[in-house]
Amino acid sequence: MDVLVINGPNLNTLGTREPEVYGTTTLPEIEAALIAQGAAAGLSVDTFQSNHEGAIVDRLHEARADGTRFVIINPGAYAHTSVALRDAFAAVALPFIEVHISNVHAREEFRKHSYLSDLAAGVLFGFGTHGYHLAMDYVILRLVDDSGGQRVPA
């Protein structure tokens, strides 16, 4: 597998949860579009969502061994609370992009700090669900040589 897309707590409720903040696109719609976007570039994409911190940490550990080359993650609230998730990213040493649907800097004070951002290859926030596609665009640039579709190391 080339790309792993992880979504954290409460993101399974996209489409109905606070649509004025998160929009009406569902997580299955986002995942299907990302799989198609990756496939169009010759990349395999897997998706994973959990409301449980340990399950996300376990999936990251599995990613180190399953051939994952890049991770796109919307950690949800775990961005602001999880040292365990940060340590997992440091342990697996996989490049990743942190995505947030809302502009976290225009929200509550506690959302302005992420335990992951300084480890990330990049951070996207405030672009709605389009942020996932911008992240995948970057991953495609990093993993596929646009001059002939040849894979390059991350």
Side-chain angles (χ1 to χ4, degrees):
M1 177 196 6
D2 295 306
V3 184
L4 173 61
V5 179
I6 297 177
N7 281 281
N10 300 308
L11 292 163
N12 57 307
T13 65
L14 286 177
T16 58
R17 173 189 177 203
E18 300 178 83
E20 67 283 359
V21 175
Y22 300 106
T24 58
T25 305
T26 67
L27 185 58
E29 291 170 334
I30 293 167
E31 291 172 336
L34 291 173
I35 290 168
Q37 185 180 358
L43 298 176
S44 60
V45 178
D46 190 22
T47 62
F48 179 80
Q49 188 278 326
S50 182
N51 294 317
H52 305 282
E53 181 180 37
I56 296 170
V57 169
D58 288 344
R59 184 61 187 94
L60 280 172
H61 290 181
E62 291 170 17
R64 178 172 50 186
D66 72 9
T68 296
R69 299 170 65 209
F70 219 106
V71 175
I72 296 171
I73 184 167
N74 182 337
Y78 290 143
H80 320 295
T81 64
S82 182
V83 173
L85 193 53
R86 176 192 174 75
D87 288 350
F89 271 112
V92 301
L94 289 169
F96 70 96
I97 297 176
E98 181 180 348
V99 174
H100 295 279
I101 295 169
S102 68
N103 179 352
V104 293
H105 292 285
R107 298 187 63 195
E108 302 91 342
E109 190 63 33
F110 71 87
R111 293 188 196 275
K112 295 177 184 178
H113 176 264
S114 168
Y115 282 99
L116 307 179
S117 294
D118 67 314
L119 297 179
V123 180
L124 290 161
F125 56 88
F127 293 100
T129 58
H130 188 65
Y132 287 97
H133 301 289
L134 294 170
M136 185 63 76
D137 284 342
Y138 179 78
V139 171
I140 290 167
L141 286 173
R142 287 281 306 268
L143 297 184
V144 179
D145 177 356
D146 60 356
S147 66
Q150 184 163 340
R151 292 170 180 263
V152 295

